[in-house]
């Protein structure tokens, strides 16, 4: 990662922390009743998050036996919508900043196979959530996990709570 100084920093995560985070991700999906059937998941994270966020989401999906479409670097709504249709993607794991770029008023009426948006590493802006609600009424959006590339997994969404309430993981 890069610190405030712009110099590269090396941060080592112990394997047990990574394993706890993956277990929390599986628990988050279980709490949303998403483990009952197989899914094809698209992981849409910006290039800066390809290190930890992508790897974490990929490992959770792999543990659940899901098929994974590792999009990664594109934030083009047309590209992503086409891939979702071709591969019958549901759900999409996406960071809040990518959510605002992909789900715009211009892409309304698309993403027909997608039913769930799972945002990771933060909370989308109210504007992005309002756009989802008005332009994509068939989509449910939920927090997946709160995590940081620097510190690793931080919080599990509180079951039945607001979409911005998390329980701090024991680390």
């Amino acid at each position: 990662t890069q610190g405030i100084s712009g110099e590269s920093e090396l941060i080592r995560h112990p394997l047990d922390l990574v394993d706890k985070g993956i277990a929390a991700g599986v628990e988050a999906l279980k709490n949303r009743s998403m483990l009952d059937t197989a899914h094809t998941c698209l992981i849409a994270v910006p290039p800066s998050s390809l290190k930890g966020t992508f790897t974490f989401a990929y490992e959770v999906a792999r543990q659940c036996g899901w098929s994974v479409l590792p999009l990664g670097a594109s934030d083009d709504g047309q590209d992503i919508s086409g891939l979702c249709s071709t591969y019958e993607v549901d759900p999409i794991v996406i960071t809040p900043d990518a959510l605002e770029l992909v789900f715009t008023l211009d892409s309304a009426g698309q993403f027909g196979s997608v039913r769930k948006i799972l945002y990771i590493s933060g909370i989308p802006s109210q504007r992005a959530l309002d756009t989802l609600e008005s332009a994509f009424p068939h989509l449910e959006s939920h927090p997946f996990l709160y995590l940081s590339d620097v510190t690793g997994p931080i919080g599990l969404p509180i079951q039945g709570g607001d979409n911005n309430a998390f329980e701090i993981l024991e680390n």
Side-chain angles (χ1 to χ4, degrees), residues 38-43 58 61-62 64-70 87 89-91:
H39 293 274
T40 298
C41 173
L42 184 136
I43 302 172
Y58 176 81
R62 192 178 69 78
C64 294
W66 293 3
S67 298
V68 178
L69 194 57
Y87 296 99
V89 167
D90 180 41

Side-chain angles (χ1 to χ4, degrees), residues 111-129:
F111 298 96
S113 67
V114 178
R115 294 291 171 253
K116 289 191 179 6
I117 301 295
L118 302 172
Y119 47 88
I120 189 168
S121 298
I123 306 296
S125 69
Q126 190 58 51
R127 181 186 54 185
L129 293 172

Side-chain angles (χ1 to χ4, degrees), residues 1-9 11 150:
T1 186
Q2 275 195 315
I4 295 171
S5 68
E7 297 293 318
S8 294
E9 297 175 348
I11 298 173
V150 176

